[in-house]
Amino acid sequence: MHRVIVIGSVNHDRIWQLEEPLTRGGRLRFSSRQVHLGGGGFYTGCQLLDLGADVALVTRLMQDEQGLSALKTLNAAGFDTTHVAMLPGETEPLEILLEPNGERTIIAPAGRSRAALFAGGALTGDAAYINALLLEEALVARLHDIPLVVSQLPLRSATPRPADYVVTSRDDAGEEAPAVWRRVVELAGPRLKMLVLTDGARRITLYDGSQSIQVDPAPAVKVASTIGAGDRFSGAFLFALLNGRDAASAAAEASRLTADWLRQRHLL
C-alpha cells in the first residue's frame, strides 16, 4: 500500500446554492444552504483513500465542536490524523456561492489564520501532495526525503518547497504555460520535472520548460457543482505516477477518474 502525506486544508464549506448567476448590483436568492467538509487537503486525500492509499493528513482544526466533529469524521474515513494540529479557537466556515452553472465564488474571513503548517514527529511516505501557502522550515526539510512530491500552484506568495510536479488550472494561473513555468521554478526548485495545466473541457497541457504535451481530457460531465474536482484530479494524478504511469497517461487517467466521480456524485 502506498503511503501519501497530504498537506493542505480541511474546511467547513457553507455552500449557498444560488438561483441565478452573480450580477453586479443584483439581488441574490438561494434555494439551499448546507455545510460540508471540504478543502484541498480533504478532497485530494479522499481521492487517494478511494484508490487504496494510506493517507496521512498534515492540517489544522479548531478545538471547538465543529473541529472535533471534523476530526472524528476524518478518522472514520480512514485518514491517519497523527499530524492534525488541534488549535484553540472557533471554526470559521468558508462561504461558497454556487451559481446554477456550477461556477463558484469563495468568500474567506479577512482574519483567517495564515500561520505556517507544521508536523510533529516522524513524517515518511512514498509521496507527498501539498496544497498550502505557508510551510514551516522543518516540514520543508522533510519533503526533500520523500521520493515523489506534487504541489498545487499557490494563488498567492508561498513558501518554496521541493516538488517534482506542479498542478494548476489555466483559470487560476492566468497565463500560458511558458509564463507560468517561471513562477513554478521559483516555487519548486531544481527537482521540478513538469507543470500540469488543466483547462476545463479543453486539453491538458504538460510543460517541462521547453516542450509541451497535449492530453485529451475525459468527456465533459454537466453537473450542478464541480467543487473538489480539481483536488480529486491532483490526487488521482499523483497515484497514477506512484503506479508507474508516465505524466501524460497519468493526466489522462486522472481526468477519467475525476469525470467518473462527478458523474457518480450527480447521480447520488
Side-chain angles (χ1 to χ4, degrees), residues 20-248:
E20 300 94 11
L22 288 171
T23 56
R24 182 177 179 181
R27 179 173 301 209
L28 301 180
R29 294 191 300 171
F30 66 95
S31 57
S32 65
R33 179 181 58 190
Q34 297 179 327
V35 177
H36 302 280
L37 280 187
F42 176 73
Y43 282 118
T44 300
C46 285
Q47 175 66 86
L48 288 162
L49 285 175
D50 288 348
L51 292 170
D54 175 21
V55 181
L57 271 177
V58 177
T59 190
R60 62 169 62 91
L61 294 169
M62 297 297 106
Q63 286 179 328
D64 60 359
E65 182 179 350
Q66 290 88 345
L68 293 172
S69 176
L71 181 64
K72 184 177 180 180
T73 298
L74 294 173
N75 283 318
F79 286 101
D80 176 351
T81 59
T82 304
H83 303 289
V84 176
M86 301 301 295
L87 304 179
E90 294 185 4
T91 298
E92 291 281 356
L94 280 182
E95 307 289 351
I96 300 180
L97 306 181
L98 186 61
E99 299 179 53
N101 63 359
E103 290 292 327
R104 62 34 166 187
T105 300
I106 299 174
I107 306 172
R112 195 176 183 86
S113 171
R114 293 191 64 199
L117 285 177
F118 63 92
L123 190 69
T124 59
D126 302 302
Y129 172 75
I130 311 164
N131 190 350
L133 287 175
L134 304 180
L135 309 173
E136 280 200 348
E137 184 177 344
L139 179 53
V140 174
R142 294 177 191 178
L143 291 170
H144 288 283
D145 297 325
I146 294 179
L148 171 65
V149 180
V150 176
S151 178
Q152 194 76 17
L153 179 64
L155 298 180
R156 300 189 297 278
S157 178
T159 305
R161 72 287 307 265
D164 302 286
Y165 297 86
V166 174
V167 182
T168 189
S169 69
R170 194 174 297 274
D171 284 344
D172 285 343
E175 298 176 295
E176 296 299 319
V180 181
W181 178 260
R182 292 190 286 272
R183 293 155 51 193
V184 169
V185 169
E186 292 181 1
L187 177 79
R191 275 182 62 165
L192 182 64
K193 296 180 177 70
M194 195 164 288
L195 164 68
V196 181
L197 192 63
T198 63
D199 194 13
R202 292 172 286 277
R203 285 183 165 184
I204 302 162
T205 300
L206 307 179
Y207 186 71
D208 66 0
S210 58
Q211 294 182 331
S212 292
I213 301 172
Q214 302 296 318
V215 177
D216 290 327
V221 180
K222 292 185 177 181
V223 292
S225 171
T226 59
I227 294 172
D231 303 308
R232 301 277 305 199
F233 173 91
S234 295
F237 176 73
L238 183 153
F239 194 80
L241 293 174
L242 273 176
N243 284 329
R245 298 275 193 119
D246 62 81

